[in-house]
Amino acid sequence: MAIQTRQGASVAGVRPVEPLRTEDPDLWRLIQRDRRRHTLTLNCIASENYASRAVLEALASHMNVKYAEGYPRARYYQGVGIVDDVETLAIERAKALFGAEHANVQPYSGSPANMAAYFALAEPGATLLGMELSHGGHLTHGSPVSFSGKLFRVVSYHVDPATEQIDFDEVERLAREHRPQLIVAGYSAYPRTIDWAAFRRVADQVGARLVADIAHIAGLVAGGVHPSPIPYADVVTTTTHKTLRGPRGGLILCRQEHARAIDRAVFPMLQGGPHLSQIAAKAVCFKEAATPEFQAYAAAVVRNCQALAEGLLQAGFQLWAGGTDNHLLVVKLLDRPFTGAEFARALETAGIITSKSTIPGETRKPTQTSGVRFGTPALTSRGATEAHMRTLAELVAAVADNLQDAAALARLRRRTEELARELQPV
Ligand SMILES: *Cc1c(COP(=O)(O)O)cnc(C)c1O
């Protein structure tokens, strides 16, 4: 293909310089359509969030090019002086933000961060005690379809059926019985505060390492509205794109004693070259998360979620553990004639974007479920308030009352859109 250079000469093979809109209009239009979808709907997916313009700018920078296998000042490539500074800045900011002794900013995402943590602390075949997936755990906490279930001997703990909160009697009993090398705490669908000290006590009783996976709540921890696991856990893993509002990516924090093992597990054991544009964007995210504005954001996320919970309870919904302490809640549908999948689909028709979720005491298949998970991080990033949450709760209740009525759902969709237009565009 012949391409015009800046001087106007036609040269074969030079990289195209057209903006996306002209370079690839088909893809550009899809991106615009999806952006509009976000702007005109209410994103209640608990794991999603809108990163800042500065984060996205760093993510889209030329740093995408650089190969820098290794760590700052110990690389396999030349041309790394500046990216060493970038990675070091990200590391120092992550350590300061969470008060950690060591940080590894290279994990591509939350799942590889967990894999690295497990391999740093234990050998394949070791026993891992993690939360059952259907009770709010993550695939990487021992599900048989994940590497964690294939490479480790998994024992699962659960929530107490009465309180729907972590059953520490069971955690302790299972730990004594199975003597796990690894205990994993931190969840994808758990609406209550996690008692890190209680996990530490159990880990100490049996000589286990404690991994705290704060993928969902990292922003709440950084913002000071959820207790930090740093004083209790051997290793803390997280994503950077959920409540932390950064680029998609992972982060591992640990005590100095595990620093070398963690770094080696990330590279060269599991990953190749670090994604430096992503690391640059993480550095921006950590800077933003250290501000008073971010603390206010984290507090607003929780307040909004509690307002949504109140509205839903008033509308007659049952909630997992009766409510929420954090950024998410799970509506239980055991008393309803419809499934989580059906409800989530109808909600989407009405412009409310959620995800179905299994719940404690689940009676339906994982593809159907009896729960729907709601989260407030994304809407709060667009400026939503408790008043918006009360309206949202009413809309959700109206969807449940009109599940089969296409005309009613279309009317609700217009109300949702009105509400969405009051918020910051995406
Ligand atoms: C989202 C999540 C992860 C994995 O993150 P990915 O970036 O999707 O790989 C790990 N643990 C928990 C608890 C999560 O919620």
Side-chain angles (χ1 to χ4, degrees), residues 19-22 24-34:
L20 182 62
R21 186 178 190 158
T22 30
D24 188 347
D26 295 332
L27 195 274
W28 182 83
R29 268 193 298 274
L30 287 173
I31 291 177
Q32 301 317 307
R33 274 177 54 202
D34 194 53

Side-chain angles (χ1 to χ4, degrees), residues 131-155:
M131 173 79 94
E132 174 80 32
L133 182 64
S134 64
H135 283 218
H138 188 258
L139 283 164
T140 56
H141 296 188
S143 161
V145 299
S146 135
F147 78 88
S148 57
K150 295 193 191 299
L151 298 181
F152 295 92
R153 196 175 81 79
V154 174
V155 180

Side-chain angles (χ1 to χ4, degrees), residues 24 30 35 52 55 65 71 83 97 138 142 168 210 214 218 224 239 281 285 334 387 389 399 404 409:
D24 188 347
L30 287 173
R35 184 196 297 233
S52 72
V55 162
V65 65
Y71 289 98
V83 295
L97 180 63
H138 188 258
F168 277 104
L210 178 62
I214 58 168
T239 63
C285 154
L334 289 172
M389 294 300 132
V399 171
Q404 310 293 346
L409 293 181

Side-chain angles (χ1 to χ4, degrees), residues 350-399:
I352 299 166
I353 314 301
T354 60
S355 45
K356 62 177 181 278
S357 174
T358 52
I359 56 168
E362 184 59 74
T363 54
R364 295 177 173 118
K365 285 183 295 200
T367 49
Q368 300 302 316
T369 80
S370 301
V372 170
R373 189 185 68 167
F374 288 76
T376 51
L379 287 180
T380 307
S381 287
R382 295 182 61 191
T385 63
E386 288 157 278
H388 292 118
M389 294 300 132
R390 286 189 283 273
T391 309
L392 173 59
E394 286 166 20
L395 291 167
V396 171
V399 171

Side-chain angles (χ1 to χ4, degrees), residues 5 15 30 122 176 202 238 241 246 258 270 316 363 386 389 420 426:
T5 65
R15 77 185 157 113
L30 287 173
R176 285 174 181 277
V202 176
T238 184
H241 51 274
H258 302 305
L270 292 173
T363 54
E386 288 157 278
M389 294 300 132
V426 173

Side-chain angles (χ1 to χ4, degrees), residues 228-241:
S228 170
I230 292 287
Y232 304 102
D234 292 280
V235 173
V236 176
T237 61
T238 184
T239 63
T240 49
H241 51 274

Side-chain angles (χ1 to χ4, degrees), residues 163-303:
T163 62
E164 296 177 339
Q165 303 198 41
I166 297 162
D167 181 351
F168 277 104
D169 292 340
E170 188 200 33
V171 174
E172 187 175 340
R173 183 172 55 72
L174 291 173
R176 285 174 181 277
E177 190 180 328
H178 297 280
R179 318 292 298 184
Q181 280 79 29
L182 294 169
I183 299 179
V184 185
Y187 317 101
S188 302
Y190 186 72
R192 293 297 185 188
T193 300
I194 302 168
D195 184 350
W196 304 115
F199 276 106
R200 182 75 257 169
R201 280 195 292 276
V202 176
D204 285 343
Q205 281 174 25
V206 299
R209 302 292 196 193
L210 178 62
V211 177
D213 175 355
I214 58 168
H216 257 264
I217 57 171
L220 307 185
V221 171
V225 294
H226 188 290
S228 170
I230 292 287
Y232 304 102
D234 292 280
V235 173
V236 176
T237 61
T238 184
T239 63
T240 49
H241 51 274
K242 297 181 184 176
T243 50
L244 201 53
R245 211 162 67 179
R248 285 200 99 89
L251 166 70
I252 303 178
L253 305 160
C254 66
R255 299 182 179 172
Q256 201 54 47
E257 61 176 302
H258 302 305
R260 202 174 141 79
I262 286 291
D263 286 353
R264 287 177 157 229
V266 174
F267 175 86
M269 198 188 302
L270 292 173
Q271 297 191 167
H275 296 181
L276 278 151
S277 48
Q278 194 191 34
I279 289 170
K282 287 175 196 177
V284 179
C285 154
F286 301 147
K287 179 177 201 265
E288 290 177 355
T291 59
E293 290 77 12
F294 191 85
Q295 291 195 344
Y297 164 71
V301 166
V302 175
R303 269 202 318 274

